[in-house]
Amino acid sequence: MVAERMAAYPCSGEINYHVPDASLLMHKLRDHYAPKALHEDHLDGLNLEFADWRFNVRMSNTEPLLRLNVETRGNAALLEDTTAALCHLLEQNGATPA
């Protein structure tokens, strides 16, 4: 059953970044991706949902880290592409992998 769910909703797992200004980077992600999002909420960080994928990015409460999670609906290639694009945007703005 777990394998079926993982295939149905491939996810990146938590990707951590050291950041100089987590709030600024969250705003940059929002500015870049929110115009095309179907749904946005801020319950636990920034959550943006699209037709076939979604992501959550949040600040760590205990470390100077930004935590990114990406999930798609049954599309591993889309997961890889969107995760790479999000990571690239973070790294362009001073984030470094933790």
Side-chain angles (χ1 to χ4, degrees):
M1 288 185 348
V2 172
E4 285 179 24
R5 297 308 294 165
M6 289 176 69
Y9 298 98
C11 64
S12 65
E14 191 168 82
I15 303 167
N16 295 303
Y17 278 95
H18 292 284
V19 295
D21 186 340
S23 181
L24 176 66
L25 284 177
M26 288 180 63
H27 284 288
K28 286 186 180 270
L29 286 172
R30 188 201 173 279
D31 290 348
H32 185 83
Y33 285 98
K36 295 181 182 178
L38 301 175
H39 180 74
E40 175 179 351
D41 76 57
H42 300 269
L43 184 62
D44 182 23
L46 171 64
N47 298 286
L48 293 177
E49 185 175 333
F50 305 86
D52 296 327
W53 68 287
R54 64 179 210 91
F55 78 88
N56 166 270
V57 64
R58 63 185 181 85
M59 292 183 264
S60 170
N61 289 329
T62 58
E63 300 173 275
L65 297 176
L66 203 58
R67 303 186 188 283
L68 172 67
N69 286 281
V70 185
E71 181 179 284
T72 65
R73 290 190 172 101
N75 189 333
L78 178 61
L79 174 68
E80 186 176 320
D81 292 346
T82 55
T83 301
L86 284 157
C87 290
H88 180 71
L89 183 60
L90 286 170
E91 291 170 16
Q92 278 185 317
N93 286 281
T96 57

